[in-house]
Amino acid sequence: MPHVTTGTRGEQHPPRDGRRWGVGAGLGLLVVGAALGFGELAAGLLRVTSPVVTVGDALVDNSPQFLMSWAIALFGTADKAVLVIGVLIVLILSGAALGVVASRRPVAGYVGLGLFTAVGLAAVALRRADDLGAATAVVVGGVAGTVALALLLRSLGPAPSRAQGSGPDAEPKHETDTDRAAEAGSEKDTEPNRGPRARGDAPGVPQAGPDAGPGRRGFVLTAAGVLAASGTAGALGRTLPSLLGGAGTGIQLALPAPASPLPALPSGVDLGVPGLAPFTTPNTDFYRIDTALTVPRPDPARWTLRVHGMVDRPFEIDMNELLSRDLVEADITLACVSNQVGGDLVGNTRWLGFPLADLLREAGVRSGADQILSTSSDGWTCGTPTEVVMDGRDALLAVGMGGEPLPHEHGYPARMVVPGLYGFVSATKWVTDIKLTRFADEQAYWAQRGWGVRAPIKTMSRIDVPSPLGRVESGEVVLAGVAWAQHTGVAGVEVRVDDGDWWEAELAEVPGIDTWVQWVAETTVGPGNHAVEVRATDATGFTQPSERVDPIPDGATGWHRIRFTAT
Ligand SMILES: Nc1nc2c(c(=O)[nH]1)N[C@H]1C(S)=C(S)[C@@H](COP(=O)(O)O)O[C@H]1N2
Ligand SMILES: [Mo]
């Protein structure tokens, strides 16, 4: 229903109505862009999580388990990208809607921005990390959105006159900064009166009058200004942390040599079979699993680890002090509880760090403190059985892996690693807090979501060669893979082809009982389709069961079976 036009430019109503929608949507996108851009700038200056990421994180943390599992199953490790894109799509759609509404009823626009801000603040409240700074970034974004809305509405002129052909026909172009981050809005319209030309853009004060707004040119200019300002703010916010140097720019830790270095790996750890996972996983290939949407980058210069809770002598240790300690090395294979049979969420490397047990002994663990509750800089929590860490195994507060400082993705500047336990109950990255407590008193992140509490890594084996559904030449065929039974050791690996008899594979060397082991076997097959199966037996004589069990709550079981074709 076209508006009554009092002006007479002889334009058709329907196009104008469509155009007004377009202008409104564009205006809304600019407003959201301003909120995102300035929210990003504030986050960059304060070195806190950006508002959009905070919202995404809160969504991750608070989605029901089934949704999480569904997302992980559907998108795999791309689930984070999908989530961020989803948040942005919602922002773009609601921004456009907000603009359409606001261009007719300014008050509704300001209320909408207030809702955006409230969502952002709620997300901050749901997270534990950098509360005040993150909230400030949200509010800054909200204020910026409000200012942008007021400026744009003013340039459009008061509502009634807008229908008079004073509206622009140019649709503001796309935001470049909507793909940054920030949920935004402001509680109140903090819009001050703006100079002599300021007119009735205040909520609920529509003014009539033929030349009420600066008109189309004014709008386009204002839009361009808002766009440029938000784009610049967003870009600055993104680059500031690294420009400012120091925090999170890169890896500046110079790792000391270990006080007690391990001997070089035996040469026989690698069988050198093409296609077989190397014994040592390069850092760049190491699987990454965490709930963080953006990789946390704690500044090692400001990093501290607090050890407290049920201890006699709580203390804090900083990076200088940690690095001045006698560091040790350990070869440990880390595995994710979500790893499916045959999956690749497992990797092996040489870690450098300080023994966790020594650290806890300094604090003096009180009896009854059966849980080590560790927290990362981004608020993720992990519960590890105290007795496991204290039983003499090489549980580490690690600062290095693969001969380098931990990469950011793997917990720089410090993380935990406990041989024999799945990562979700042991391997806290970006760790900043260790609290001794009771399992009965406090639950960690995944435990709250129905996953296991004590989760030793299950004995497992995998076929890497031939590749699943791969083609090989008939005749002599090489079968190879890896097997693991951390902190117990693999005693044997058996294979069978086409459901025939099991036979023993040959095992490579290992430096200890905390790593995986490569295995290889040879057989002869004729042309056609074949199936290979593998199973490992650990040093206690326990053979992994054939029964297929899902990863949740404490790890998958079953024999890995692949098919290949011989030609
Ligand atoms: N801070 C933090 N640490 C974390 C996680 C996390 O979500 N946040 N995930 C854990 C899980 S489930 C696993 S399997 C390991 C994976 O470590 P990686 O990414 O270095 O391979 O990290 C653990 N440490
Ligand atoms: Mo994991």
Side-chain angles (χ1 to χ4, degrees):
M1 25 138 235
H3 274 248
V4 177
T5 53
T6 52
T8 50
R9 285 262 224 93
E11 288 192 48
Q12 313 274 298
H13 295 154
R16 179 177 299 145
D17 217 39
R19 185 199 298 154
R20 291 191 48 202
W21 276 67
V23 170
L27 184 147
L29 289 180
L30 285 166
V31 168
V32 168
L36 294 183
F38 283 90
E40 201 69 20
L41 177 61
L45 282 171
L46 298 168
R47 296 182 182 184
V48 294
T49 316
S50 100
V52 161
V53 173
T54 305
V55 170
D57 281 335
L59 284 177
V60 172
D61 288 358
N62 297 285
S63 348
Q65 177 58 37
F66 76 88
L67 225 139
M68 292 272 280
S69 317
W70 174 82
I72 290 167
L74 197 62
F75 305 117
T77 40
D79 55 346
K80 291 185 179 120
V82 171
L83 179 69
V84 170
I85 290 168
V87 170
L88 288 173
I89 289 175
V90 169
L91 273 174
I92 288 170
L93 292 181
S94 46
L98 181 137
V100 169
V101 172
S103 60
R104 285 149 201 258
R105 300 202 50 210
V107 183
Y110 294 107
V111 170
L113 272 174
L115 285 178
F116 270 78
T117 311
V119 169
L121 289 176
V124 173
L126 287 170
R127 299 283 305 175
R128 292 211 206 165
D130 21 295
D131 290 356
L132 212 81
T136 309
V138 169
V139 171
V140 167
V143 171
T146 307
V147 171
L149 178 58
L151 286 173
L152 289 163
L153 284 178
R154 189 185 64 170
S155 75
L156 269 184
S161 72
R162 250 171 257 148
Q164 290 183 23
S166 63
D169 18 62
E171 230 183 87
K173 45 207 124 347
H174 265 277
E175 297 296 291
T176 51
D177 42 339
T178 40
D179 60 356
R180 296 193 204 298
E183 187 80 331
S186 142
E187 294 297 85
K188 289 258 131 39
D189 170 19
T190 54
E191 182 55 3
N193 229 5
R194 209 172 287 88
R197 290 194 312 137
R199 13 202 343 154
D201 65 326
V205 193
Q207 290 210 343
D211 313 305
R216 176 182 157 177
R217 257 193 83 229
F219 178 79
V220 172
L221 284 179
T222 310
V226 167
L227 186 61
S230 341
T232 311
L236 265 179
R238 271 297 158 111
T239 46
L240 262 182
S242 45
L243 285 182
L244 293 177
T249 42
I251 306 285
Q252 311 108 349
L253 275 193
L255 294 184
S260 40
L262 284 181
L265 288 170
S267 60
V269 294
D270 260 302
L271 296 169
V273 177
L276 172 58
F279 178 77
T280 300
T281 312
N283 284 357
T284 46
D285 294 348
F286 212 97
Y287 80 94
R288 174 189 167 201
I289 291 288
D290 52 62
T291 59
L293 284 180
T294 50
V295 178
R297 295 190 164 209
D299 181 357
R302 294 197 285 171
W303 178 90
T304 58
L305 174 72
R306 183 172 166 226
V307 182
H308 64 117
M310 295 170 66
V311 295
D312 295 328
R313 298 169 293 278
F315 67 90
E316 249 184 55
I317 182 170
D318 65 16
M319 195 41 75
N320 279 337
E321 194 187 337
L322 179 60
L323 295 184
S324 70
R325 299 283 183 95
D326 287 349
L327 302 186
V328 301
E329 289 182 309
D331 294 309
I332 300 167
T333 295
L334 182 62
C336 181
V337 68
S338 298
N339 198 34
Q340 300 283 353
V341 173
D344 57 4
L345 301 180
V346 52
N348 176 67
T349 196
R350 180 163 285 188
W351 306 86
L352 173 74
F354 187 74
L356 256 181
D358 289 349
L359 209 67
L360 297 187
R361 255 176 241 119
E362 282 169 37
V365 177
R366 297 212 176 124
S367 70
D370 59 355
Q371 174 175 231
I372 302 169
L373 187 72
S374 52
T375 306
S376 62
S377 65
D378 67 329
W380 185 78
T381 54
C382 173
T384 312
T386 311
E387 70 197 1
V388 172
V389 168
M390 303 301 284
D391 76 357
R393 71 185 72 199
D394 288 326
L396 295 181
L397 174 61
V399 291
M401 72 189 278
E404 291 166 8
L406 297 171
H408 289 296
E409 294 76 16
H410 298 291
Y412 179 81
R415 75 174 302 170
M416 290 173 39
V417 189
V418 182
L421 298 183
Y422 284 118
F424 80 114
V425 291
S426 69
T428 310
K429 304 190 273 190
W430 316 289
V431 64
T432 55
D433 191 287
I434 288 181
K435 180 180 180 189
L436 273 296
T437 175
R438 292 191 183 91
F439 279 113
D441 293 344
E442 274 174 277
Q443 277 198 311
Y445 186 93
W446 286 113
Q448 290 166 19
R449 288 160 177 78
W451 288 76
V453 165
R454 290 162 205 271
I457 298 174
K458 294 180 179 174
T459 299
M460 187 52 71
S461 51
R462 186 180 81 194
I463 303 158
D464 287 352
V465 181
S467 56
L469 303 177
R471 288 180 170 272
V472 298
E473 273 179 40
S474 54
E476 282 270 289
V477 171
V478 173
L479 315 172
V482 284
W484 57 90
Q486 287 93 321
H487 210 59
T488 304
V490 174
V493 170
E494 297 164 283
V495 288
R496 66 173 175 180
V497 172
D498 300 332
D499 299 311
D501 290 334
W502 292 100
W503 83 94
E504 286 284 335
E506 190 190 315
L507 297 186
E509 282 188 76
V510 283
I513 56 172
D514 292 334
T515 72
W516 61 11
V517 57
Q518 293 187 347
W519 60 265
V520 64
E522 273 169 41
T523 187
T524 313
V525 297
N529 293 330
H530 301 282
V532 193
E533 258 176 322
V534 66
R535 66 180 187 195
T537 298
D538 67 27
T540 67
F542 172 83
T543 300
Q544 63 177 106
S546 64
E547 188 203 349
R548 285 270 178 164
V549 161
D550 274 344
I552 188 165
D554 59 8
T557 67
W559 295 335
H560 189 207
R561 178 187 179 97
I562 64 133
R563 299 184 159 278
F564 69 97
T565 305
T567 54

